Amino acid sequence: MLGRSYLSRTGSFRPENLGQNALAMIGNLCFTMFVLGVLIFTIIAATYEPEDPLFHPSTKITSFLTSTSNATFKSDNSVVKTGEDFMAANQTAFATFINITDVDNVTQVADPGSGSSNLELTSCEGSVDSPIDCRDPEVFHTMMRATIERFKDIHFYRFGKPVRGSNDSTCDMAWRFRPKEGKRAAFYKDYRRFVISRSENCTLSVIGIGDYHTGVNARKRKKNQKPGFEKKSEKQEQVVTMPVVGEVVNDTLPVIESEGSFSQGKYLIYVGGGDRCKSMNHYLWSFLCALGEAQYLNRTLVMDLSICLSSIYSSSNQDEEGKDFRFYFDFEHLKDAASVLDQGQFWLDWSKWQKKDGLGLILVEDYRVTPMKLAEAKDALIMRKFGSVEPDNYWYRVCEGETESVVQRPWHLIWKSRRLLDIVSAIASRLNWDYDSVHIVRGDKAKNKELWPNLGIDTSPDALLSSLRDKIEDGRNLYIATNEPETSFFDPLKDKYSTHFLDEYKDLWDESSEWYSEMKKLNHGNPVEFDGYMRVSVDTEVFLRGKKQIETFNDLTNDCKDGISTCSASAS
């Protein structure tokens, strides 16, 4: 019985069934292998973490953060975009500009301080040649009307009270403005000298308005001076700090007022490393890592304001020490918006009070010690010390890996130097803020036919005239930003346009300029060169304020900005 049972269960292995059994076994084996393959692939797909470029500071990341376009000029590695470039324009604030009708309406209202109407008739007998009273509301309104009528391409947001100019017939007045078609989230300040006359029937008229920044007596508002005229927005919105180019810059170094304040503070300092004399992109990428860590740890960043200018920006083609952070960036905004100290002042105070007050120091020599591990540190000072081996001694290594998602670089704290932007504003003002601009890349790229086979031909005068024909109207002011050393190369364009170049405005940074005087004072009495980085920065900003902006790549040539077959990579 058992035998029958056994035979009945194994009957399938009879000789006539062996072929079928073999096929079934092969099928099962293949299915098993398929299932195992799918399982292995699923496990790999679920656990594999591809290399994310956002966790690796590189030129790709810098390009991403410093450019919103695949156009060469905007993503030029020699030009750093800063916080204000990414700032959204407050359209409500910009919409509340002063119209001529607003001034006319104010004219109908009696001056509260005068006790009489502005329209009250007075006798002019014997007063035609008397000095102009710049405090007279009628003088103020006359000057405002003349300004709005004269400068038709800008919007006005505030007029300061006029003050006496250089003589009895002149008054100085300041105003806040921005170009009508401005794309930058910023205001500008100008102050000019007005020549005013009085007719025999007491009618006041403006017979002359000086050039940009000629009304020096109105540059600073006097302590007891009454506010001028400003049109308030009907909507109450949160105030967003924006640069005001043209205001007096206060970039003096911050100091700690007392021993108690110093001893209660918590500080972070980065020392050494291989970031010095690198490009400005590299410098900011590392500096903002340090600043971001300081903010994460709720500590004051002790910073070295001295900068080594890379040879790529210097006229000597050598790295140049002795530059100052304040030459290139807005230190006033930084110190107002973040907690920073100059390292020279810090070490002076540290040497006086460290031992006396028992202030502790943590020395960190490995960039892999994350800010998260230092969050609970109680010592007064955390010092990160970097060695001599590149690239492990770059400051930005601290913000790599897991730190990238925790410590954010505070780009909004870094603005361009308002002194440099004031030069930009002066150039745009001389063009009445009514110009178009074109950037023309030539130089070594135009000579390299292997990587840029068409660039030289596409940027020749004849080709430019052909390309610009449908883009820029004849007779327009055309600002040309270019790396072509001989601007006479573009002389054929003068037949159709009024061309302008950066060097046309050298008086704005020469020895007699306001910029030169302020920079010399900032640099302890030593002259400051208008170096290559400053030139590129100003050239870029003037270009970006043109009403129409024509760029080399995509607009003038089909060549790729980074060389042949790189267009898709450049656009990414």
Side-chain angles (χ1 to χ4, degrees):
M1 187 174 180
L2 289 172
R4 286 195 302 269
S5 176
Y6 176 77
L7 290 173
S8 65
R9 289 195 301 269
T10 60
S12 61
F13 287 95
R14 286 177 297 184
E16 61 266 30
N17 294 329
L18 288 178
Q20 297 177 1
N21 291 337
L23 290 174
M25 291 179 64
I26 293 172
N28 291 336
L29 179 63
C30 291
F31 180 76
T32 301
M33 293 178 64
F34 172 77
V35 171
L36 287 174
V38 170
L39 181 62
I40 293 171
F41 177 82
T42 302
I43 294 173
I44 292 175
T47 58
Y48 176 63
E49 295 183 7
E51 186 178 30
D52 189 343
L54 288 178
F55 291 97
H56 297 270
S58 65
T59 55
K60 290 281 186 186
I61 306 173
T62 300
S63 297
F64 170 76
L65 288 171
T66 58
S67 178
T68 57
S69 167
N70 64 352
T72 295
F73 199 66
K74 291 185 178 181
S75 59
D76 190 336
N77 287 333
S78 62
V79 181
V80 177
K81 282 193 175 182
T82 48
E84 71 272 38
D85 295 318
F86 303 104
M87 191 182 299
N90 186 334
Q91 296 303 328
T92 301
F94 292 156
T96 55
F97 56 87
I98 300 170
N99 291 299
I100 192 73
T101 53
D102 298 317
V103 178
D104 291 337
N105 291 336
V106 172
T107 307
Q108 306 301 319
V109 181
D111 188 331
S114 67
S116 62
S117 170
N118 291 335
L119 299 180
E120 183 177 310
L121 296 176
T122 58
S123 172
C124 292
E125 185 177 352
S127 63
V128 174
D129 297 325
S130 61
I132 298 295
D133 183 4
C134 299
R135 297 171 297 177
D136 184 349
E138 186 179 356
V139 172
F140 184 24
H141 300 147
T142 300
M143 294 171 67
M144 284 194 291
R145 282 195 298 269
T147 304
I148 295 174
E149 291 172 353
R150 166 80 175 273
F151 303 107
K152 299 184 182 301
D153 283 282
I154 63 178
H155 283 155
F156 299 89
Y157 296 87
R158 180 189 300 168
F159 286 100
K161 287 282 190 179
V163 297
R164 189 178 188 276
S166 58
N167 54 46
D168 291 342
S169 63
T170 60
C171 297
D172 292 356
M173 184 176 70
W175 57 82
R176 179 173 292 186
F177 73 96
R178 71 187 304 269
K180 283 184 178 180
E181 300 182 22
K183 305 176 183 66
R184 320 295 282 177
F187 288 109
Y188 303 84
K189 180 179 179 179
D190 195 1
Y191 37 92
R192 303 202 183 200
R193 181 152 294 169
F194 291 70
V195 181
I196 302 170
S197 70
R198 182 189 290 112
S199 66
E200 293 182 357
N201 64 354
C202 277
T203 301
L204 295 171
S205 60
V206 173
I207 60 175
I209 301 178
D211 293 331
Y212 184 78
H213 282 9
T214 50
V216 293
N217 294 342
R219 184 183 187 188
K220 295 182 180 179
R221 180 180 172 183
K222 306 298 187 293
K223 290 183 179 180
N224 299 323
Q225 185 179 358
K226 293 182 180 180
F229 178 63
E230 183 175 6
K231 187 176 179 180
K232 299 293 185 180
S233 172
E234 295 180 0
K235 296 181 180 180
Q236 297 297 322
E237 293 191 348
Q238 182 178 0
V239 177
V240 177
T241 302
M242 286 185 289
V244 181
V245 178
E247 291 280 11
V248 176
V249 178
N250 176 20
D251 50 11
T252 56
L253 300 180
V255 295
I256 296 180
E257 297 178 353
S258 66
E259 176 184 349
S261 298
F262 183 85
S263 299
Q264 292 173 9
K266 295 290 186 287
Y267 309 96
L268 171 70
I269 188 171
Y270 281 35
V271 178
D275 304 276
R276 205 157 183 84
C277 303
K278 296 295 192 296
S279 72
M280 203 65 83
N281 273 316
H282 182 126
Y283 169 78
L284 275 190
W285 189 243
S286 285
F287 174 75
L288 285 171
C289 173
L291 187 57
E293 182 182 20
Q295 292 199 313
Y296 172 78
L297 297 174
N298 196 25
R299 288 175 174 264
T300 296
L301 179 66
V302 181
M303 60 180 290
D304 182 4
L305 267 73
S306 71
I307 288 180
C308 173
L309 187 70
S310 170
S311 60
I312 63 176
Y313 311 117
S314 68
S315 57
S316 65
N317 295 319
Q318 301 291 324
D319 295 337
E320 295 181 357
E321 293 280 2
K323 304 294 183 177
D324 192 299
F325 180 93
R326 295 169 291 181
F327 293 176
Y328 310 99
F329 304 106
D330 189 343
F331 184 67
E332 180 179 6
H333 171 64
L334 176 60
K335 70 177 182 178
D336 287 346
S339 182
V340 295
L341 275 178
D342 171 55
Q343 70 169 13
Q345 181 65 46
F346 172 81
W347 287 125
L348 184 64
D349 292 341
W350 180 265
S351 64
K352 288 190 295 184
W353 298 320
Q354 184 261 330
K355 290 184 179 180
K356 179 182 177 182
D357 297 338
L359 304 179
L361 180 153
I362 296 178
L363 179 63
V364 181
E365 296 185 285
D366 189 343
Y367 71 86
R368 289 169 293 189
V369 177
T370 67
M372 295 78 83
K373 293 180 181 178
L374 300 172
E376 302 300 323
K378 304 299 182 184
D379 298 77
L381 176 63
I382 296 176
M383 176 189 290
R384 282 195 179 272
K385 189 174 182 180
F386 296 82
S388 58
V389 180
E390 298 186 19
D392 287 345
N393 64 348
Y394 292 160
W395 292 6
Y396 64 62
R397 299 302 300 272
V398 173
C399 294
E400 290 182 337
E402 60 180 310
T403 305
E404 183 80 21
S405 61
V406 178
V407 173
Q408 303 298 318
R409 285 177 171 82
W411 288 91
H412 62 284
L413 297 179
I414 302 298
W415 290 355
K416 296 178 181 66
S417 163
R418 281 184 286 138
R419 292 188 178 94
L420 289 178
L421 291 180
D422 203 22
I423 294 177
V424 174
S425 181
I427 294 173
S429 293
R430 291 186 182 182
L431 296 171
N432 294 317
W433 293 90
D434 183 21
Y435 66 95
D436 300 317
S437 55
V438 58
H439 176 249
I440 303 173
V441 175
R442 287 187 56 80
D444 292 338
K445 287 189 176 182
K447 297 175 183 177
N448 190 332
K449 302 298 183 182
E450 293 184 4
L451 294 179
W452 296 276
N454 305 302
L455 182 60
I457 296 174
D458 290 341
T459 56
S460 66
D462 290 341
L464 289 172
L465 286 169
S466 177
S467 299
L468 297 177
R469 181 182 299 114
D470 298 327
K471 298 179 175 68
I472 307 294
E473 295 179 7
D474 290 3
R476 290 282 294 163
N477 281 320
L478 181 64
Y479 184 86
I480 300 177
T482 182
N483 60 349
E484 174 62 46
E486 295 297 331
T487 57
S488 60
F489 176 81
F490 302 104
D491 280 352
L493 275 67
K494 292 181 179 180
D495 293 337
K496 292 191 64 175
Y497 309 107
S498 177
T499 58
H500 304 274
F501 300 88
L502 181 62
D503 281 340
E504 182 179 328
Y505 306 97
K506 284 182 177 180
D507 63 293
L508 295 173
W509 61 82
D510 67 14
E511 295 183 6
S512 62
S513 68
E514 182 179 305
W515 177 86
Y516 184 90
S517 175
E518 290 192 4
M519 296 296 281
K520 186 176 180 180
K521 181 179 180 181
L522 180 65
N523 200 34
H524 311 292
N526 299 310
V528 175
E529 177 194 6
F530 190 72
D531 60 46
Y533 183 79
M534 296 174 184
R535 290 182 61 88
V536 173
S537 181
V538 170
D539 215 19
T540 303
E541 294 300 316
V542 176
F543 166 80
L544 291 173
R545 282 157 180 76
K547 288 185 174 180
K548 291 182 180 179
Q549 300 161 18
I550 308 300
E551 307 191 51
T552 299
F553 298 97
N554 296 330
D555 289 333
L556 300 178
T557 182
N558 290 324
D559 283 355
C560 304
K561 66 167 185 146
D562 293 323
I564 195 168
S565 301
T566 63
C567 288
S568 58
S570 300
S572 62

